[in-house]
Amino acid sequence: MPRALAAQHRSAIVNAAIRLMAREGVAAASTRRIAAEAGVAQATIHYVFGSKTELYRAVLEAASANLVRAVQGGLAPHPHWTEDAAVAARAAWDLAETDASTALLLVELTTYALRDEDLRDLAVGLYDSYQQLAEDAIRTLLERSEYGWDELRVPLEEVARLAVAGFNGVVLSFLVYGDRERSRRDLQNLVQSLVAIAVGQLDAGE
């Protein structure tokens, strides 16, 4: 199969897998059903990806890519450290709120991968990417804030881990209860708590 055609099929298959998984769950996404959703032969999936692990890796990367773009897009400069952090967090939150099916898919893919030894490294890789994204965001915020690195009270990687755990908790709570207002308040409280932990400041940025 020509390389260009394989790349075209790859994109179509990944998008089809995401649609199917978001609609019916990960367990429903057999290669036969993904192939039907993508309009390709089942053998094409095996040719393009080689293994189920590689297909799931591509699905996770694609499903989480919008989250990365949202956080990066939310890192526009603002007058205060807390406001900066809040805007970046809301950018990621808006994505989870407006596309709850993909947010649920990321949760489901993580737990699914943890139950399969051949896929477990995908869950680790996904959380490693969350961690790196959080560290990069915090580093960017610090570098243009009034706070220097010597004022960071907790190591960067620990603040980032708290941010990842807290954000995922807010998202999961939203998926369970569907209470937008409560989840938005939870997110605001999370950001202020993280700022307080990081630099000892509870100011809301007004």
Side-chain angles (χ1 to χ4, degrees), residues 130-189:
Y130 289 162
Q131 175 73 17
Q132 188 61 58
L133 177 61
E135 288 186 19
D136 290 345
I138 294 167
R139 188 178 292 110
T140 297
L141 294 173
L142 269 177
E143 286 172 351
R144 64 171 182 238
S145 76
E146 67 271 30
Y147 299 99
W149 284 100
D150 57 339
E151 295 185 63
L152 192 62
R153 297 168 46 177
V154 178
L156 172 65
E157 61 272 17
E158 294 183 17
V159 179
R161 282 202 300 271
L162 285 173
V164 170
F167 183 81
N168 282 338
V170 173
V171 170
L172 187 57
S173 177
F174 170 67
L175 292 173
V176 171
Y177 294 107
D179 190 330
R180 285 176 165 78
E181 292 307 314
R182 187 175 78 173
S183 294
R184 289 169 185 169
R185 289 195 304 273
D186 289 345
L187 182 67
Q188 181 181 2
N189 290 333

Side-chain angles (χ1 to χ4, degrees), residues 59-140:
V59 167
L60 274 171
E61 288 173 354
S64 62
N66 285 341
L67 177 64
V68 174
R69 285 193 290 269
V71 173
Q72 291 172 339
L75 290 173
H78 296 87
H80 302 282
W81 153 269
T82 309
E83 185 180 353
D84 243 350
V87 170
R90 282 199 301 269
W93 171 254
D94 287 346
L95 185 67
E97 188 178 277
T98 58
D99 191 5
S101 62
T102 299
L104 177 58
L105 174 58
L106 286 170
V107 173
E108 190 178 358
L109 279 168
T110 302
T111 56
Y112 185 87
L114 288 174
R115 290 185 177 277
D116 187 327
E117 281 304 313
D118 291 334
L119 298 174
R120 187 180 180 86
D121 72 298
L122 299 185
V124 175
L126 180 63
Y127 265 67
D128 282 347
S129 70
Y130 289 162
Q131 175 73 17
Q132 188 61 58
L133 177 61
E135 288 186 19
D136 290 345
I138 294 167
R139 188 178 292 110
T140 297

